Amino acid sequence: MLGGLAAAGVGAAAVPLVAGCDHHAADGPPGYGTGIADGFDGKIALDVRDSTPDWKPFETKKAPEGAPNVLVVLYDDTGMAAWSPYGGRIEMPVMQRLADNGLTYTQWHTTALCSPTRSCFLTGRNHHVNRFASIAEGTTGFPGSAGRLPAQCATVGQVLQDNGYSTFWLGKDHNVPLEDVSGGGSRAEWPLQKGFDRFYGFLGGETNQWYPALVEDNNFIEQPATPEQGYHLSKDLADKAIRMLRDQRSSNPSKPWFLWFCPGANHAPHHTPTDYADKYKGKFDDGYEAYRDWVLARMIGKGIMPQGTALTPINPLPQDVALAADAVRPWNTLNADEKKLFARMAEVYAGFSEFTDAQVGRIIEFLEHSGQLDNTIVFYCADNGASGEGSPNGSVNENKFFNGYPDDLAENMKYLNKLGTPDTYNHYPTGWATAFSTPFQMFKRYSQFSGGTCDPMVVHWPKGIKAKGQIRHQYHHAVDVVPTILDVVGIPMPKEYRGVKQYPLNGVSMRYSFDDAQAATTRKRQYYAMLGTRGIWADGWKASALHAPISGRGHFDQDRWELFHVDADRSESANVADKYPDKLKELIAAWDEEARDNFVLPLDDRTAVEILVVERPQTEPPRTRYLYYPDAAPVPEGVSANIRARSYKIIGNVELQSGAQGVIFSQGSRFGGHALFLAGGALHYVYNFLGIAPIQDFVAPAPASGKHSLGMEFVREKAGPYGESLGTTTLYIDDHPVATGPMRAQSGTFGLSGEGLCVGYATGDPVSPQVPNPSAFTGGTVQVVIIDVSPESFLDLQREAAVALAKD
């Protein structure tokens, strides 16, 4: 480096050596050719001994003196009536301890869905301003639904990171565009590029808790252990969080930190160690209607709900609006087996929640032992109401919901004793979603009702909050968390960030309420809009448009609006629209104004299947032929060949030796997927349709040693009653058909859990028990796998593959 400078003529003989930065070479940009850096106030001479350093231009910014650490614990899919601090039956001892020494909020709201709420936690702006009208998989290309945080919305991570904080993100993301969730995809929207020093978790909306799709920092990784070795994602996340905090404490103990802890709980699949589920045996046998009566009395007794709060019906929507998939089957209409199944599903959910609370407790214990808890502000909360995605009958495989395929109770009963284990991908029925969202109407996805948006929030900060064990009734929203964090830290949201003028924060700080229970709510208005539903709260009143989410109905101009005086009717049980028509008109006009200001339109209520199968822009040019290579990272479904609702062909170029065995191609898991593999001297193509037995298996004797093209062709002939593809599959060895028969294929996703497309191996949860274990291909090599969705025949593709194989 020094030699290079001398060669360039930079030195004592070339330019005068001066202090400061006001002298510039005539033929170069400011600071170039003088040996002086901009902003340098020291003295530079030929000899360092005659020079004076100035560290200011090179120092990193420090956090304000005494700024607290920040821990945000954000669960999924949890209504306010689920957890013990709010009167619920699910024991949450760690959250209860924080509530006993902090504050419990009763009117804290979310957007009714995960990605949108999480975007609010990131930026302090409304979810449409963040471009997250829906989940990351549901982007539509309109301004409020582009699925990428705009440059005008700097994140809390970026602001804190730039002001002297260490920043960590553990667990769920779900704000990365689908096309970027891949080994070769853009990292622009990944956590490390959004202001976080470290990330460990998963990028999708959900993941298998026993076999997660893990990412560490900017890379996909294998899970560190198996379920048989005691692995569970919640425990793993806590392990990593404590490790990150220990590292930070060891190296930078004076530096404050921000930790966003987002476990997979309580999102489906409801996976938990069996001993935690068994703690709740018999505790939900009375059914969900009885639970609602019991828990409302408890909520009133604890002061969570005011005296006189009324209970809403379990099926409150009018028949012309209600969705059959979101209906609740009255408990007294169930047979004995159904009651047993539904009760066990609630037990597993409860165990999942408490087990995760115990993992949070390990983090809290570390903070206490290391002397950090006193000056750590903790937000313990959930991102939307309880989930109704399990259908009226519950599900042992939630992927059925995303494929528009109904559950079968007889099939589900077979898994009664396996619920919560790696054998299931379970989700409780809508009855429990209603129960855990007591006393409100409906649940997750319904943004016009508090059943979808009113969620638990406990705030704990011994050094900064004098009040202990108190309740707060001020009305607040997810957008208020970022302003609260910045307020207590003492750092403003910048008006300009990286040269871009910033959108103003939509949220307000909740700090005013910390030590004043009677303080008036500072939030004056909050709109809601999600999956076709909409509503608005303003000054204690709520207007709600009657519309079912993801119903595919449209006709929003025909929606009927209801009016609730929330200050007097907390459960939103009495529609007073006829009594106060002017107030209703005022609120509808306010919603229209908010919609214009926040990029809300157009409204979209298309079904889950319609939304998930929309073709979205990809970074790669459109093509009908995809090549995949062995031992690469799993390719997520969102960027792999789209075989949904169409004919397709898969062919693998291989070179076999005697006894060759293992996976040639695999995609999905035991809950939906397909694979081409060699096992026991046979070639198999299996298609596991939503985990429903029997698995469709096309099999033939394996070919002799040598080079071969092995593959299959599915010809779609029609759609089934639920949109599934029905057709004929043929298995090929080279140019010879060796097995054929009818097959049904999923019309929607293989799942939101993140299992990708693999060549030469399978993920930890294979699509069929027939897949060899270990799954890695041995006794030969896999050269390449081709997936083709063009109209040409398999034999045409095989000829090309054979030529390529011969040249290898």
Side-chain angles (χ1 to χ4, degrees):
M1 179 67 181
L2 292 174
L5 289 174
V10 179
V15 294
L17 291 165
V18 295
C21 57
D22 296 328
H23 301 274
H24 308 298
D27 58 348
Y32 182 80
T34 66
I36 308 300
D38 285 346
F40 182 80
D41 292 327
K43 174 186 174 183
I44 295 179
L46 179 63
D47 193 322
V48 70
R49 296 164 188 80
D50 301 321
S51 304
T52 304
D54 175 24
W55 289 103
K56 293 192 302 294
F58 314 107
E59 288 178 347
T60 57
K61 204 166 185 180
K62 292 189 170 150
E65 187 69 28
N69 304 311
V70 182
L71 170 60
V72 179
V73 178
L74 185 62
Y75 274 65
D76 264 280
D77 295 3
T78 305
M80 203 165 65
W83 287 343
S84 54
Y86 285 81
R89 207 170 280 176
I90 301 175
E91 293 297 328
M92 302 288 284
V94 177
M95 187 189 197
Q96 185 66 63
R97 176 191 167 193
L98 297 175
D100 290 342
N101 291 279
L103 303 174
T104 300
Y105 284 80
T106 69
Q107 292 198 82
W108 184 80
H109 291 75
T110 61
T111 70
L113 207 61
C114 47
S115 294
T117 294
R118 288 160 192 274
S119 78
C120 298
F121 270 80
L122 276 170
T123 75
R125 284 90 170 183
N126 284 320
H127 57 298
H128 291 90
V129 176
N130 292 326
R131 311 306 191 236
F132 275 94
S134 181
I135 58 175
E137 295 84 354
T139 54
T140 60
F142 292 97
S145 184
R148 291 179 183 271
L149 292 177
Q152 296 92 332
C153 293
T155 73
V156 65
Q158 290 168 326
V159 175
L160 293 179
Q161 187 183 60
D162 287 357
N163 284 275
Y165 268 71
S166 297
T167 52
F168 310 115
W169 187 341
L170 280 298
K172 176 173 172 174
D173 181 307
H174 210 198
N175 287 106
V176 173
L178 214 54
E179 61 269 26
D180 291 353
V181 182
S182 65
S186 168
R187 298 298 193 267
E189 300 295 316
W190 286 39
L192 265 59
Q193 283 62 245
K194 290 300 176 184
F196 291 86
D197 300 329
R198 297 297 311 277
F199 174 72
Y200 184 88
F202 59 100
L203 298 179
E206 65 187 44
T207 198
N208 190 316
Q209 300 295 301
W210 302 112
Y211 295 101
L214 285 176
V215 168
E216 184 167 23
D217 296 332
N218 274 336
N219 299 298
F220 291 96
I221 63 168
E222 294 294 320
Q223 67 188 78
T226 66
E228 293 76 18
Q229 296 168 323
Y231 183 86
H232 187 284
L233 179 59
S234 292
K235 180 178 181 298
D236 187 19
L237 293 175
D239 289 343
K240 289 296 189 296
I242 293 169
R243 175 61 185 271
M244 290 180 190
L245 292 176
R246 279 179 177 158
D247 289 347
Q248 201 267 357
R249 187 71 170 168
S250 298
S251 58
N252 298 91
S254 66
K255 189 176 183 181
W257 46 261
F258 170 57
L259 171 61
W260 196 13
F261 189 79
C262 306
N266 282 320
H267 202 290
H270 299 156
H271 283 156
T272 187
T274 301
D275 57 337
Y276 269 84
D278 287 348
K279 292 174 69 172
Y280 290 90
K281 275 190 175 179
K283 293 192 175 181
F284 297 98
D285 287 354
D286 52 350
Y288 26 75
E289 288 112 324
Y291 182 91
R292 296 183 84 220
D293 291 332
W294 174 85
V295 78
L296 179 56
R298 295 255 304 170
M299 296 171 87
I300 292 173
K302 288 174 72 73
I304 300 296
M305 288 289 155
Q307 289 288 339
T309 298
L311 195 62
T312 55
I314 61 169
N315 287 303
L317 293 179
Q319 189 171 2
D320 63 326
V321 172
L323 281 178
D326 285 347
V328 174
R329 298 178 63 202
W331 193 261
N332 62 12
T333 67
L334 306 178
N335 63 39
D337 281 346
E338 290 168 337
K339 290 179 180 179
K340 188 183 299 184
L341 176 68
F342 290 7
R344 183 57 178 173
M345 287 177 165
E347 293 167 10
V348 170
Y349 176 82
F352 187 21
S353 206
E354 185 180 345
F355 174 70
T356 305
D357 181 73
Q359 308 315 307
V360 176
R362 295 172 54 220
I363 300 174
I364 297 297
E365 183 179 350
F366 171 75
L367 297 181
E368 189 171 31
H369 288 172
S370 59
Q372 299 181 80
L373 185 59
D374 189 57
N375 196 29
T376 297
I377 184 168
V378 181
F379 299 84
Y380 200 131
C381 44
D383 68 355
N384 47 244
S387 172
E389 288 150 16
S391 83
N393 296 325
S395 181
V396 298
N397 182 3
E398 191 212 19
N399 286 340
K400 292 178 181 178
F401 173 84
F402 297 110
N403 280 267
Y405 200 86
D407 271 271
D408 178 78
L409 283 167
E411 175 75 12
N412 289 357
M413 281 298 298
K414 298 175 185 176
Y415 293 92
L416 175 65
N417 296 321
K418 295 182 178 181
L419 293 172
T421 74
D423 292 325
T424 59
Y425 206 91
N426 46 294
H427 193 305
Y428 57 49
T430 49
W432 290 118
T434 298
F436 293 138
S437 297
T438 300
F440 306 115
Q441 302 181 69
M442 304 312 290
F443 32 74
K444 175 183 177 180
R445 293 178 284 116
Y446 285 86
S447 73
Q448 73 270 56
F449 299 127
S450 285
T453 67
C454 194
D455 295 295
M457 163 68 86
V458 164
V459 180
H460 179 271
W461 183 24
K463 187 174 181 180
I465 301 176
K466 297 176 183 177
K468 309 295 180 187
Q470 294 186 14
I471 293 173
R472 294 291 181 265
H473 298 293
Q474 289 88 353
Y475 194 101
H476 280 288
H477 187 270
V479 293
D480 299 334
V481 174
V482 168
T484 306
I485 292 172
L486 295 180
D487 188 4
V488 302
V489 166
I491 297 172
M493 177 63 72
K495 294 183 179 178
E496 185 175 291
Y497 184 74
R498 294 181 181 175
V500 178
K501 185 177 180 181
Q502 296 293 289
Y503 290 138
L505 293 175
N506 296 119
V508 298
S509 174
M510 299 162 60
R511 190 177 188 179
Y512 74 95
S513 67
F514 285 179
D515 287 311
D516 188 353
Q518 305 306 317
T521 299
T522 58
R523 172 161 290 285
K524 298 302 180 185
R525 180 192 288 185
Q526 181 61 47
Y527 82 89
Y528 296 92
M530 183 60 58
L531 301 172
T533 67
R534 53 188 163 149
I536 187 167
W537 176 93
D539 295 320
W541 293 81
K542 175 89 169 284
S544 302
L546 288 176
H547 199 101
I550 53 176
S551 59
R553 293 173 178 173
H555 306 295
F556 297 104
D557 57 335
Q558 299 175 22
D559 287 351
R560 301 194 304 277
W561 287 77
E562 295 184 334
L563 179 67
F564 305 102
H565 190 191
V566 178
D567 280 354
D569 173 24
R570 184 71 66 79
S571 64
E572 302 167 10
S573 62
N575 176 21
V576 293
D578 292 341
K579 190 174 180 181
Y580 301 101
D582 291 340
K583 173 60 73 172
L584 180 60
K585 288 179 183 177
E586 174 190 324
L587 289 180
I588 293 173
W591 188 92
D592 290 339
E593 181 180 305
E594 293 290 314
R596 288 192 299 270
D597 291 346
N598 288 277
F599 311 104
V600 174
L601 299 179
L603 299 176
D604 188 355
D605 67 350
R606 287 175 293 175
T607 66
V609 172
E610 288 178 294
I611 294 172
L612 290 174
V613 302
V614 166
E615 293 283 354
R616 294 178 174 86
Q618 300 290 322
T619 54
E620 292 295 317
R623 61 194 192 276
T624 58
R625 185 168 298 175
Y626 299 75
L627 274 64
Y628 299 105
Y629 296 92
D631 300 324
V635 181
E637 188 177 357
V639 294
S640 63
N642 181 3
I643 62 172
R644 295 186 289 264
R646 64 176 63 181
S647 301
Y648 62 90
K649 298 161 282 290
I650 300 173
I651 188 167
N653 276 353
V654 300
E655 184 167 3
L656 306 182
Q657 299 168 5
S658 177
Q661 179 164 290
V663 168
I664 299 169
F665 162 91
S666 180
Q667 184 178 29
S669 71
R670 77 177 78 192
F671 305 109
H674 59 146
L676 182 71
F677 59 92
L678 290 166
L683 173 67
H684 294 258
Y685 174 72
V686 298
Y687 195 106
N688 183 338
F689 182 84
L690 292 169
I692 299 172
I695 293 175
Q696 301 166 101
D697 187 12
F698 302 85
V699 60
S705 299
K707 294 182 177 181
H708 296 279
S709 298
L710 309 178
M712 56 75 60
E713 180 175 26
F714 172 68
V715 178
R716 185 179 189 270
E717 293 156 3
K718 62 180 179 179
Y722 303 104
E724 70 274 26
S725 294
L726 302 178
T728 300
T729 286
T730 303
L731 184 67
Y732 285 88
I733 296 177
D734 299 320
D735 56 356
H736 304 293
V738 292
T740 190
M743 192 183 88
R744 62 176 174 171
Q746 295 173 204
S747 57
T749 177
F750 286 124
L752 302 183
S753 193
E755 293 89 353
L757 185 157
C758 307
V759 172
Y761 69 101
T763 55
D765 193 27
V767 301
S768 168
Q770 297 163 288
V771 172
N773 184 18
S775 64
F777 193 85
T778 59
T781 58
V782 179
Q783 179 193 46
V784 67
V785 168
I786 304 169
I787 300 180
D788 194 289
V789 292
S790 70
E792 65 180 304
S793 73
F794 180 90
L795 293 178
D796 293 331
L797 180 63
Q798 192 278 331
R799 291 187 190 98
E800 292 186 31
V803 170
L805 189 61
K807 291 178 179 178
D808 184 52

